[in-house]
Amino acid sequence: MSTQRQIEGLTIARGLAAWMVVLFHIRGGMPWLPDGVMAVLDKGYLAVDFFFLLSGFVIYLTAHRAFLAEGLAALPAFFRRRAARIVPLYAVMLALTTAFAALLTMTGRDHSGYPWAELPLHMLLLQNWGFTDALTWNHPAWSISTEFAAYLLLPVLILTIPLHRLPGWALFAGIAALIGIMAFLLGAAGLRDLGQDIPHFGIVRCLFEFSAGCLLCALWLRGRATGSRSAIFVAACVFIVPALFWSIHAPAELWAFPLIAAASIFLIASAPQARFPRAFLYLGEISYATYLSHFMLFIWFKIVTVSDPANIAPPVILLFLALSFAVSALLYHSIERPGRRLGTKYR
């Protein structure tokens, strides 16, 4: 089984999760959806928790060997690649949002959603480290801020804990402990679901779930190295079954969904080789652009085309989705990919 094929499966999952976030953010304009569909979209914020786990898995997979071989000497290359991955597109979207906020301010319109005093935090990727009380500016960027914190944590995790040497049971226990502690902390703070109080607890979700994703990758690598595919499947099911059972008896989203997401990532990575349609892979490749651009794009789209933002006709929604895809592709090819190439060019 090639690593490329495994990553392709995870790439598709990332793309589908990104579009789940898009639908979550535009659902308020679609009151005509069936109740069951709306109930699913109301939980679209959980895709971000899937992202955090997946990010820990994939970044550990690509970075751990360099840190184990080079130690602290691997830090510059790691942070250069991470910066090249997220900063160019992030900077472009922040610049466009700033221009929009300036236009609102100069024309005397409501710009309360774009507080100028908080702009430096957004420029430094610190806006969701607990310094503010509300999501502002380009809302989805909050998770990029917390991912930045997770990038600072990753070298510490790899260099201080020998994940590659731990037995499977210890890694499994570590994943369960991280998710359990996170759920306890959030529950103790009065949260009943993972979408609550993002400004103060989003970073908690990210750091714990990202770390659990790293351990999940180490567990997957151990099973892959020993060829124990049946054990891999059983281990993944051990995640899923208790989570599904206990979630029936209590509002256990705080830990049940992260466990289910971890199992799903594990199973996708462990699945046999398959030929994936290029279109689905492409959705995953442009998913960062989709995720980071859709929120502001929807605001601008509604200003230009919509008279009643609370009830947007289905053809107009389809037009926005097509536009969002086109803009994502444009940003990916014109901003994101060139930025990533720069990150690998200068060593």
Side-chain angles (χ1 to χ4, degrees), residues 3-19 85 268 274-288 290 325 329 332-333 336-337 340:
T3 301
Q4 180 63 30
R5 287 296 183 191
Q6 292 144 7
I7 292 178
E8 284 183 355
L10 296 175
T11 297
I12 292 173
R14 187 175 72 237
L16 296 176
W19 281 97
R85 176 71 175 89
I268 293 169
R275 287 190 174 275
F276 298 108
R278 177 62 190 162
F280 287 109
L281 284 169
Y282 190 66
L283 287 180
E285 290 170 0
I286 67 172
S287 60
Y288 179 52
T290 302
F325 173 80
Y332 172 72
H333 289 286
E336 188 179 345
R337 285 187 68 183
R340 290 164 72 173

Side-chain angles (χ1 to χ4, degrees), residues 88-101:
L89 185 57
Y90 178 90
V92 167
M93 285 307 305
L94 183 58
L96 291 173
T97 306
T98 302
F100 176 64

Side-chain angles (χ1 to χ4, degrees), residues 16-38:
L16 296 176
W19 281 97
M20 188 65 185
V21 175
V22 174
L23 294 173
F24 169 73
H25 281 136
I26 71 173
R27 74 195 190 286
M30 300 185 289
W32 34 264
L33 285 174
D35 291 344
V37 175
M38 187 62 78

Side-chain angles (χ1 to χ4, degrees), residues 176-189:
L178 284 168
I179 293 175
I181 293 170
M182 179 193 74
F184 174 79
L185 293 174
L186 297 180

Side-chain angles (χ1 to χ4, degrees), residues 274-308:
R275 287 190 174 275
F276 298 108
R278 177 62 190 162
F280 287 109
L281 284 169
Y282 190 66
L283 287 180
E285 290 170 0
I286 67 172
S287 60
Y288 179 52
T290 302
Y291 179 78
L292 204 55
S293 67
H294 76 275
F295 186 84
M296 293 307 303
L297 183 62
F298 191 50
I299 291 174
W300 300 329
F301 179 83
K302 288 187 292 185
I303 290 173
V304 174
T305 66
V306 175
S307 58
D308 182 5

Side-chain angles (χ1 to χ4, degrees), residues 15-70:
L16 296 176
W19 281 97
M20 188 65 185
V21 175
V22 174
L23 294 173
F24 169 73
H25 281 136
I26 71 173
R27 74 195 190 286
M30 300 185 289
W32 34 264
L33 285 174
D35 291 344
V37 175
M38 187 62 78
V40 172
L41 297 188
D42 283 341
K43 291 295 184 179
Y45 58 83
L46 293 173
V48 180
D49 297 275
F50 181 86
F51 284 142
F52 290 150
L53 284 155
L54 181 59
S55 182
F57 186 101
V58 172
I59 294 176
Y60 181 87
L61 179 64
T62 58
H64 77 283
R65 290 188 181 88
F67 279 110
L68 292 176
E70 304 172 27

Side-chain angles (χ1 to χ4, degrees), residues 2-315:
S2 67
T3 301
Q4 180 63 30
R5 287 296 183 191
Q6 292 144 7
I7 292 178
E8 284 183 355
L10 296 175
T11 297
I12 292 173
R14 187 175 72 237
L16 296 176
W19 281 97
M20 188 65 185
V21 175
V22 174
L23 294 173
F24 169 73
H25 281 136
I26 71 173
R27 74 195 190 286
M30 300 185 289
W32 34 264
L33 285 174
D35 291 344
V37 175
M38 187 62 78
V40 172
L41 297 188
D42 283 341
K43 291 295 184 179
Y45 58 83
L46 293 173
V48 180
D49 297 275
F50 181 86
F51 284 142
F52 290 150
L53 284 155
L54 181 59
S55 182
F57 186 101
V58 172
I59 294 176
Y60 181 87
L61 179 64
T62 58
H64 77 283
R65 290 188 181 88
F67 279 110
L68 292 176
E70 304 172 27
L72 293 176
L75 280 173
F78 171 75
F79 285 116
R80 184 174 59 247
R81 287 193 297 270
R82 288 292 90 205
R85 176 71 175 89
I86 67 170
V87 170
L89 185 57
Y90 178 90
V92 167
M93 285 307 305
L94 183 58
L96 291 173
T97 306
T98 302
F100 176 64
L103 180 62
L104 293 178
T105 303
M106 290 186 296
T107 56
R109 300 184 182 185
D110 180 19
H111 60 277
S112 58
Y114 310 91
W116 291 104
E118 294 180 11
L119 181 57
L121 293 175
H122 290 259
M123 296 174 67
L124 296 172
L125 280 168
L126 301 177
Q127 71 267 34
N128 215 78
W129 287 27
F131 300 129
T132 61
D133 294 322
L135 294 181
T136 57
W137 295 80
N138 185 11
H139 290 198
W142 75 264
S143 65
I144 312 304
S145 170
T146 61
E147 282 263 340
F148 174 53
Y151 298 159
L152 299 177
L153 174 66
L154 180 71
V156 178
L157 183 65
I158 294 176
L159 294 175
T160 59
I161 304 175
L163 299 181
H164 61 297
R165 295 178 182 172
L166 294 179
W169 66 265
L171 293 167
F172 182 87
I175 295 166
L178 284 168
I179 293 175
I181 293 170
M182 179 193 74
F184 174 79
L185 293 174
L186 297 180
L191 275 63
R192 305 299 290 171
D193 62 62
L194 289 165
Q196 287 182 270
D197 201 357
I198 291 173
H200 295 111
F201 294 100
I203 193 168
V204 176
R205 287 163 61 189
C206 178
L207 294 181
F208 276 92
E209 290 172 341
F210 183 93
S211 300
C214 292
L215 270 66
L216 187 71
C217 183
L219 178 64
W220 176 79
L221 286 171
R222 176 164 292 278
R224 183 170 179 261
T226 59
S228 54
R229 292 187 180 178
S230 59
I232 287 173
F233 180 79
V234 170
C237 289
V238 169
F239 282 120
I240 294 175
V241 174
L244 289 174
F245 177 77
W246 281 312
S247 64
I248 295 172
H249 299 280
E253 177 182 304
L254 300 179
W255 54 268
F257 180 81
L259 287 178
I260 293 171
S264 301
I265 292 168
F266 203 90
L267 288 173
I268 293 169
S270 305
Q273 292 189 34
R275 287 190 174 275
F276 298 108
R278 177 62 190 162
F280 287 109
L281 284 169
Y282 190 66
L283 287 180
E285 290 170 0
I286 67 172
S287 60
Y288 179 52
T290 302
Y291 179 78
L292 204 55
S293 67
H294 76 275
F295 186 84
M296 293 307 303
L297 183 62
F298 191 50
I299 291 174
W300 300 329
F301 179 83
K302 288 187 292 185
I303 290 173
V304 174
T305 66
V306 175
S307 58
D308 182 5
N311 191 359
I312 305 173

